[in-house]
């Protein structure tokens, strides 16, 4: 049965790759992001391939707008089967005692509070229907802190804790919770972290073949389509020459 899949942060990177993979799977898509023009382009791309797509423009940090938008969904889109909490970012690599407070607020508000907002808005409906799947995009950074990762790593450790906690909270239902923990993925992630410095971003992936957004999307679609009695609780996905968040072999 085709599912209704809501993906946050769907305009680039892992979110966009998930949109394309779930579309290929025949699912109906609700795509959210901050860039209305980009969302329109993606909708056009996917609908031309036969996908059924609804786009919603809002920032997950804006709880009021997110709430109004989700509560105003057309009837045919209200029964969300899969929530992919993908929206997230990292900013800078400064020591913890030098991090710009605006940066830590952006990371915490997006990576933690934005995820909580979407969970709070979508999961009650899943509980009522006794079906659904929440896929949270965490990170290897949530397992062990690396130099300069401080606040970002803390937010991804929170994603793990929130995923584990939600799984406990819905244990008496047929709802499944998955925490995806990617390692080095070549997207615009590093460009954002280094504020558009393409040279610094490129160095992150130098000497190693990193993962792609498609690699992570493949796992997300697999988890969402596992048999109903199977819950893929947590998946750590690393490049072949990466052993941890900080240990990478480069040629």
């Amino acid at each position: 049965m085709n599912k209704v899949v809501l993906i946050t942060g769907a305009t680039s990177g892992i979110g966009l790759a998930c949109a394309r993979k779930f579309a290929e799977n025949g699912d109906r898509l609700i795509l959210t992001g901050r860039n209305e023009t980009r969302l329109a382009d993606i909708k056009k791309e996917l609908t031309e391939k036969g996908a059924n797509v609804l786009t919603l423009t809002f920032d997950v940090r804006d709880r009021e707008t997110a709430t109004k938008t989700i509560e105003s969904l057309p009837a045919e889109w209200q029964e969300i089967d899969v929530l992919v909490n993908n929206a997230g970012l990292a900013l800078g690599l400064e020591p913890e005692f030098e991090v710009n407070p605006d940066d830590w607020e952006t990371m915490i508000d997006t990576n933690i509070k934005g995820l909580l907002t979407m969970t709070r808005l979508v999961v009650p409906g899943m509980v009522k229907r006794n079906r659904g799947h929440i896929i949270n995009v965490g990170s290897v950074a949530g397992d062990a802190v690396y130099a300069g990762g401080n606040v970002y790593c803390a937010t991804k450790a929170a994603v793990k804790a929130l995923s584990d906690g939600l799984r406990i909270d819905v244990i008496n239902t047929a709802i499944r919770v998955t925490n995806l923990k990617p390692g080095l993925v070549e997207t615009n992630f590093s460009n954002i972290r280094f504020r558009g410095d393409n040279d610094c971003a490129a160095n992150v992936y130098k000497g190693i073949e990193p993962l792609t957004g498609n690699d992570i999307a493949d796992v997300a679609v697999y988890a969402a389509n596992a048999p109903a009695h199977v819950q893929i609780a947590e998946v750590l996905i690393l490049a072949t020459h990466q052993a941890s968040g900080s240990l990478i072999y480069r040629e």
Side-chain angles (χ1 to χ4, degrees), residues 201-224:
N203 283 334
V204 173
Y205 312 107
K206 189 175 182 180
I208 183 174
E209 183 176 355
L211 301 168
T212 67
N214 285 337
D215 297 325
I216 311 308
D218 282 338
V219 181
V221 172
Y222 174 81

Side-chain angles (χ1 to χ4, degrees), residues 152-171:
Y152 173 70
C153 293
T155 66
K156 291 304 182 178
V159 171
K160 174 176 171 53
L162 292 170
S163 300
D164 292 347
L166 181 60
R167 197 177 303 111
I168 293 167
D169 291 338
V170 298
I171 194 171

Side-chain angles (χ1 to χ4, degrees), residues 78-151:
Q78 289 178 3
E79 295 192 1
I80 296 166
D81 298 294
V82 180
L83 168 63
V84 181
N85 275 316
N86 165 74
L89 77 165
L91 293 171
L93 277 172
E94 297 85 2
E96 188 170 320
F97 55 88
E98 294 180 357
V99 176
N100 185 328
D102 290 340
D103 288 349
W104 82 51
E105 286 187 357
T106 298
M107 287 185 277
I108 291 170
D109 288 350
T110 305
N111 301 0
I112 301 176
K113 293 164 71 175
L115 179 148
L116 280 170
T117 292
M118 295 307 299
T119 300
R120 182 67 180 84
L121 291 172
V122 174
V123 174
M126 293 181 173
V127 172
K128 184 178 180 179
R129 295 185 295 274
N130 194 34
R131 71 174 191 273
H133 195 157
I134 301 91
I135 299 176
N136 292 330
V137 179
S139 173
V140 63
D143 289 342
V145 179
Y146 55 78
N150 42 74
V151 176

Side-chain angles (χ1 to χ4, degrees), residues 7 9 12-19 84 86 137 180 182 185 187 212-214 216-217:
I7 304 169
S12 64
I14 293 172
L16 176 56
C18 283
V84 181
N86 165 74
V137 179
L180 299 183
V185 184
T187 63
T212 67
N214 285 337
I216 311 308

Side-chain angles (χ1 to χ4, degrees), residues 12-60:
S12 64
I14 293 172
L16 176 56
C18 283
R20 289 169 172 158
K21 290 288 183 179
F22 278 105
E24 290 174 6
N25 194 56
D27 296 313
R28 298 164 59 206
L29 304 178
I30 302 174
L31 306 181
T32 86
R34 295 177 295 171
N35 188 326
E36 186 172 9
T37 301
R38 184 74 182 120
L39 282 172
D41 290 342
I42 294 166
K43 180 176 181 176
K44 182 175 184 294
E45 171 199 332
L46 296 178
T47 54
E48 286 177 351
K49 296 178 180 178
N52 193 352
V53 181
L54 174 69
T55 58
L56 305 173
T57 306
F58 65 88
D59 190 329
V60 294

